Amino acid sequence: MALPAKVNIIDVGPRDGLQNEKQLVPAQVKTELVHLLQTAGLREIEVTSFVSPKWVPQMADNAQVMGQIQRRDGVRYSVLVPNMKGMEAALLTQPDEIVVFASASESFSQKNINCSIAESIERFAPVVQAAHAQGIVVRGAMSCTVGCPYEGDIAPAQVEYLARLLHDVGVDRVDVADTIGVGTPLKIQRALEATFKHFGVDNVSGHFHDTYGQAIGNTLAALELGVWNFQSSVAGLGGCPYAKGATGNVATEDVVFMLHGMGIETGIDLDRLVDAGLYISAQLGRPSHSRAGTAIAKKRPVQEGAATGQICA
Ligand SMILES: CC(C)(COP(=O)([O-])OP(=O)([O-])OC[C@H]1O[C@@H](n2cnc3c(N)ncnc32)[C@H](O)[C@@H]1OP(=O)([O-])[O-])[C@@H](O)C(=O)NCCC(=O)NCCSC(=O)C[C@@](C)(O)CC(=O)[O-]
């Protein structure tokens, strides 16, 4: 199959990237990160989640961040919602897209959202209805599509089962997430193919964590199947609070560097994206995990007084 000519990137750094940060990241910093990402040309940004603050304290400022963003036309701002309580709070902030999140692994479902897969779908049903009643798109994130921290390997049949449930409950598009980054290219292709039984390729995105350094290879494997929507985190931020040891998503800078090198359009200005990565890395006081971002930053002339993030040696 011919590779896609254009790719859409959803930066999940402000949500997936920051949700697991031990230090409290001020709402102002999260807002500025969203502004820098939209300046870099991102057209989809996952801003925050409306989950229990007892479970994920870092996202407790969800409404504040959504309220502070200076929205741009043509940018889709999405938020995670696990149930109707989250939905009611989310709707007050006028998101463009709601993300419900389920798991292909029963154990991860219990650890992450305290219910079974089937129960999670029951909770999503009114959320999807409420979103559609207001013309809001619903994305379904599918966690642990190749491996689970509690169950090990996940069979494609489990992914197909979850994709069917999400399709039947009315979800518009889905993410195939490798939550703990254990996927390798052929396993990722099997998970994607299982998903295609219920969602067309235009409504399937790849979401690859880079724990074992496989995420760029997995991105290429997904492109080979025609996938053209991907989630990634600027500076490679992230890690899931309920997946011990899992690192961040593949860095957006690294994905964009690969895509542009292959002649694939993204609409993203890589230099501005590197600025966003340097900004958040400086705020967190640690190096960026993006190899491309680090290399590009190192080649820049040093300007006196310029704010730079730390970069990997
Ligand atoms: C789903 C629940 C709430 C169930 O948690 P629970 O304890 O079973 O919920 P509950 O209904 O029994 O309620 C318990 C308390 O939470 C409150 N509550 C209930 N719901 C909400 C809400 N929406 N917002 C705010 N508060 C809420 C509720 O009001 C009550 O408050 P209390 O009476 O004790 O004061 C909980 O398990 C939870 O919040 N989990 C979220 C975990 C999470 O955010 N994980 C990370 C995101 S998923 C992910 O990272 C994977 C992904 C998407 O990135 C893709 C990938 O890489 O795999």
Side-chain angles (χ1 to χ4, degrees):
M1 178 183 280
L3 294 177
K6 253 179 152 172
V7 156
N8 176 48
I9 296 191
I10 302 147
D11 198 290
V12 297
R15 195 284 302 172
D16 202 359
L18 295 179
Q19 68 182 6
N20 203 27
E21 271 303 318
K22 297 286 171 281
Q23 55 184 311
L24 192 75
V25 182
Q28 193 52 47
V29 170
K30 294 170 182 162
T31 308
E32 179 62 11
L33 177 60
V34 172
H35 291 163
L36 290 170
L37 290 171
Q38 61 191 18
T39 299
L42 268 301
R43 290 293 163 261
E44 288 199 48
I45 304 172
E46 199 171 276
V47 177
T48 187
S49 58
F50 287 82
V51 299
S52 163
K54 287 180 192 151
W55 285 62
V56 185
Q58 188 65 255
M59 296 286 111
D61 58 3
N62 41 32
Q64 193 185 349
V65 175
M66 284 296 281
Q68 285 176 350
I69 294 168
Q70 289 172 14
R71 298 190 192 199
R72 284 204 183 170
D73 286 349
V75 178
R76 185 182 280 189
Y77 304 93
S78 56
V79 300
L80 261 68
V81 162
N83 54 18
M84 273 312 283
K85 184 173 171 80
M87 184 63 173
E88 281 155 18
L91 283 178
L92 298 174
T93 70
Q94 299 184 311
D96 300 301
E97 184 176 71
I98 294 294
V99 185
V100 293
F101 49 107
S103 173
S105 144
E106 281 291 354
S107 310
F108 190 79
S109 183
Q110 290 291 351
K111 297 275 185 196
N112 196 36
I113 50 177
N114 206 23
C115 64
S116 69
I117 297 171
E119 285 163 345
S120 73
I121 300 294
E122 278 171 33
R123 290 180 187 179
F124 300 156
V127 171
V128 175
Q129 273 176 18
H132 286 169
Q134 301 212 16
I136 299 174
V137 177
V138 182
R139 179 152 55 84
M142 302 196 295
S143 291
C144 297
T145 59
V146 283
C148 165
Y150 313 102
E151 292 182 15
D153 285 351
I154 295 294
Q158 284 172 258
V159 181
E160 192 204 330
Y161 166 69
L162 178 60
R164 177 166 61 75
L165 294 179
L166 288 170
H167 175 267
D168 291 353
V169 81
V171 161
D172 302 298
R173 56 199 294 233
V174 283
D175 313 333
V176 174
D178 179 12
T179 311
I180 54 171
V182 291
T184 44
L186 297 182
K187 287 184 182 172
I188 293 294
Q189 289 189 336
R190 299 297 87 82
L192 288 166
E193 284 160 353
T195 308
F196 295 156
K197 295 195 173 145
H198 303 284
F199 288 89
V201 67
D202 293 345
N203 290 320
V204 174
S205 50
H207 176 121
F208 307 132
H209 286 256
D210 203 26
T211 318
Y212 293 87
Q214 301 299 299
I216 278 286
N218 291 340
T219 303
L220 183 56
L223 284 168
E224 282 173 353
L225 294 188
V227 173
W228 58 277
N229 287 285
F230 291 94
Q231 279 122 32
S232 55
S233 279
V234 66
L237 296 172
C240 178
Y242 300 101
K244 197 171 175 224
T247 61
N249 286 92
V250 63
T252 308
E253 298 91 315
D254 295 0
V255 176
V256 170
F257 184 84
M258 177 182 80
L259 294 171
H260 289 184
M262 294 169 73
I264 297 174
E265 272 181 50
T266 64
I268 292 172
D269 177 334
L270 182 54
D271 241 18
R272 296 286 71 79
L273 181 63
V274 170
D275 290 343
L278 292 175
Y279 168 77
I280 192 63
S281 301
Q283 292 296 323
L284 298 175
R286 60 160 189 264
S288 166
H289 291 299
S290 167
R291 302 288 287 268
T294 299
I296 290 166
K298 276 188 168 180
K299 282 169 75 178
R300 287 179 172 173
V302 179
Q303 286 172 11
E304 220 171 303
T308 54
Q310 283 179 276
I311 51 176
C312 294

